[in-house]
Amino acid sequence: QKEVEQNSGPLSVPEGAIASLNCTYSDRVSQSFFWYRQYSGKSPELIMSIYSNGDKEDGRFTAQLNKASQYVSLLIRDSQPSDSATYLCAVRGFGNEKLTFGTGTRLTIIP
Amino acid sequence: ETGVTQTPRHLVMGMTNKKSLKCEQHLGHNAMYWYKQSAKKPLELMFVYNFKEQTENNSVPSRFSPECPNSSHLFLHLHTLQPEDSALYLCASSQEGRSRDTQYFGPGTRLTVL
């Protein structure tokens, strides 16, 4: 059973600080990693994808991947109240395997 | 807007009703998915269609019946549902065949079974 683990939170971060979200996965041959943001009552929205070890930056978001340790993280710099949402980590194995999702981390940015 | 639409957005039905959920993607993708999202649980993949052919059925009860008439449309037919089937049902699409394809989600249908 392939698993993706996330701390369900809630994670509370002051406005303007860095929010750090973590995700671990069990399948060592996983190839593709995604972070989705889901506002309450809405559908998941893709915000970042990462495929190689290291950091990938996009605006205020940075995804970090460490395949040896089997974890992927998402950093949100200069956190804004609009960043308050549930963040889903998704992992895809080798080839055309399906996405496996974590339960999500609920993030609250405190003004 | 992600290019994936779903109707209806909200649905309330009794256990003896028959209803259908509709999904349409305008992205030119060749794969479509149905997911169920319940509170406190990970997204559960229900069905996968590649090039209109069903490639995955994750032990979903027969009261859920998918239909994919073409690569742009996907339906989920519902009959004799149970209250525990109440959830957010999400449709997604992707371009299979690319090793780094990404799934894009529709807005979902919030289903309540009375």
Side-chain angles (χ1 to χ4, degrees):
Chain A
Q1 180 79 13
K2 298 176 183 177
E3 294 184 347
V4 176
E5 300 285 341
Q6 293 182 257
N7 187 323
S8 62
L11 175 65
S12 297
V13 173
E15 183 176 357
I18 296 175
S20 178
L21 305 164
N22 299 312
C23 171
T24 59
Y25 57 95
S26 63
D27 186 2
R28 184 167 290 277
V29 299
S30 296
Q31 298 284 308
S32 307
F33 307 86
F34 306 89
W35 283 100
Y36 285 83
R37 178 178 62 200
Q38 187 173 24
Y39 292 114
S40 180
K42 303 294 185 182
S43 63
E45 170 194 11
L46 180 71
I47 54 173
M48 288 286 284
S49 59
I50 187 167
Y51 309 100
S52 305
N53 277 330
D55 295 0
K56 179 182 178 183
E57 187 174 320
D58 184 0
R60 295 187 296 111
F61 298 98
T62 299
Q64 299 175 318
L65 175 61
N66 184 323
K67 289 187 178 180
S69 300
Q70 295 177 234
Y71 83 78
V72 56
S73 62
L74 180 70
L75 302 179
I76 306 175
R77 290 183 300 282
D78 188 24
S79 298
Q80 303 296 310
S82 59
D83 295 326
S84 298
T86 296
Y87 289 81
L88 304 174
C89 174
V91 176
R92 183 180 175 104
F94 183 78
N96 289 330
E97 292 190 18
K98 63 182 183 182
L99 279 181
T100 301
F101 284 85
T103 54
T105 297
R106 188 155 60 91
L107 174 66
T108 301
I109 305 301
I110 304 169
Chain B
E1 292 295 326
T2 61
V4 182
T5 59
Q6 289 186 244
T7 55
R9 298 291 303 274
H10 300 272
L11 178 62
V12 179
M13 58 187 289
M15 289 191 285
T16 58
N17 291 157
K18 291 184 179 181
K19 297 287 183 182
S20 295
L21 310 184
K22 179 183 176 182
C23 176
E24 183 174 359
Q25 59 96 0
H26 310 274
L27 301 169
H29 289 164
N30 57 18
M32 297 185 77
Y33 311 78
W34 279 117
Y35 286 89
K36 176 183 178 182
Q37 188 174 37
S38 305
K40 308 293 185 185
K41 289 186 178 181
L43 277 167
E44 300 173 48
L45 179 65
M46 300 175 71
F47 302 104
V48 181
Y49 278 82
N50 283 348
F51 296 99
K52 303 187 300 176
E53 299 296 322
Q54 187 179 126
T55 58
E56 191 150 350
N57 175 340
N58 277 2
S59 303
V60 179
S62 60
R63 58 186 183 269
F64 296 92
S65 174
E67 178 189 0
C68 188
N70 55 61
S71 58
S72 298
H73 294 85
L74 185 64
F75 295 89
L76 188 62
H77 304 299
L78 317 171
H79 64 98
T80 59
L81 294 191
Q82 304 298 310
E84 60 265 29
D85 297 323
S86 298
L88 181 67
Y89 288 84
L90 292 160
C91 174
S93 73
S94 69
Q95 183 63 24
E96 287 298 308
R98 299 178 189 168
S99 62
R100 297 182 174 185
D101 72 280
T102 301
Q103 291 185 19
Y104 295 90
F105 286 86
T109 296
R110 174 68 63 183
L111 174 66
T112 302
V113 181
L114 301 177

